[in-house]
Amino acid sequence: MRLRLPEERPTEPPTGYKIARPVLSHGGTRAAFTGVSLGAGLPYAVLDEAGCVYGRRHSAPNRRCDCGFHCVHDRATAEGLLCTTEHRGAVLLEVTVLGVYIRFERGFRYARQRVREATVPPCDCGGAATLLADAGWGRPGWRALEPACGLCRGARQAVSVVEFARLAGEGLRVVTAAPPASAGGPLTLGMPELMAEAALLQARLDWFQAELARLTGDQRG
């Protein structure tokens, strides 16, 4: 006897969250995304249909394969993936799960999706990322992009987040995450810290006076 998965008939498509790398076509006319793990070699559009990454002829998702789009239920879970070193340049996507899907404890594996919103994290310098700049690697026909501010862009090819949304099409909304606020506000020093700072300043002043006396003595001699 073959076990059948329970069927769901939601009144509206489920929402999920995932991380991805923004990519720009070689000619600079198309914008898309690529996965960070299994589907990293297959860029997908804002509205797209999944295929089997192994080239098998079955439709995705298949119970005997791990093909299909993947996402998690919770936004915070997806944001946590951005903490790892290899995912620092990724963006956070909010997606609509379309077509056939398989529900798991933490998310979905599914056939089609629409990317509704992409959140671009701050630049490595901590400032707001207004651009998506060439990350220095890519896939055939596609350049990977990473968040950057105007100062950190340098001479790299880049597009604004607004232009990326326009090239991606399908009503994609791209937002920039606010730079992290200082955890403690203005720096407040206690007595030990102030004493250490005073000692350092006194040492610098003593050195300055000694150098000044040496130079003055040389001039008089």
Side-chain angles (χ1 to χ4, degrees):
M1 183 177 67
R2 299 180 64 182
L3 296 177
R4 295 179 61 88
L5 295 174
E7 293 186 2
E8 298 184 36
R9 298 186 181 277
T11 57
E12 59 183 28
T15 295
Y17 302 91
K18 63 195 300 183
I19 64 173
R21 291 281 188 170
V23 293
L24 186 69
S25 66
H26 174 69
T29 58
R30 290 183 296 159
F33 300 97
T34 187
V36 296
S37 57
L38 183 63
L42 300 174
Y44 55 85
V46 172
L47 179 62
D48 214 334
E49 184 170 349
C52 180
V53 295
Y54 303 111
R56 297 168 184 166
R57 296 183 178 181
H58 57 241
S59 59
N62 188 282
R63 289 178 57 192
R64 299 181 181 276
C65 187
D66 53 6
C67 59
F69 290 123
H70 295 72
C71 72
V72 295
H73 300 301
D74 184 59
R75 182 185 182 98
T77 301
E79 289 176 333
L81 299 175
L82 296 172
C83 295
T84 61
T85 302
E86 63 270 26
H87 297 156
R88 289 294 177 94
V91 299
L92 176 69
L93 303 183
E94 178 182 308
V95 302
T96 298
V97 176
L98 302 172
V100 177
Y101 63 82
I102 300 174
R103 181 189 290 271
F104 295 95
E105 181 181 359
R106 300 182 63 185
F108 299 98
R109 183 159 62 90
Y110 51 101
R112 300 178 65 240
Q113 75 177 4
R114 177 186 291 275
V115 181
R116 295 204 304 254
E117 181 178 282
T119 301
V120 179
C123 177
D124 283 343
C125 71
T130 57
L131 302 168
L132 290 169
D134 190 342
W137 61 275
R139 301 285 183 260
W142 296 90
R143 291 187 178 92
L145 305 177
E146 63 182 5
C149 66
L151 292 176
C152 296
R153 168 192 177 177
R156 293 180 293 170
Q157 179 182 2
V159 293
S160 69
V161 294
V162 175
E163 179 65 7
F164 183 89
R166 186 189 70 81
L167 293 173
E170 296 291 345
L172 174 67
R173 182 169 178 257
V174 180
V175 298
T176 56
S182 174
L187 181 62
T188 302
L189 300 178
M191 182 59 70
E193 291 84 2
L194 289 174
M195 293 295 292
E197 288 290 329
L200 179 61
L201 289 175
Q202 185 61 53
R204 295 290 294 174
L205 179 60
D206 291 343
W207 174 85
F208 177 78
Q209 289 177 332
E211 288 296 300
L212 183 61
R214 181 180 64 81
L215 293 174
T216 301
D218 290 343
Q219 291 177 354
R220 290 178 180 178

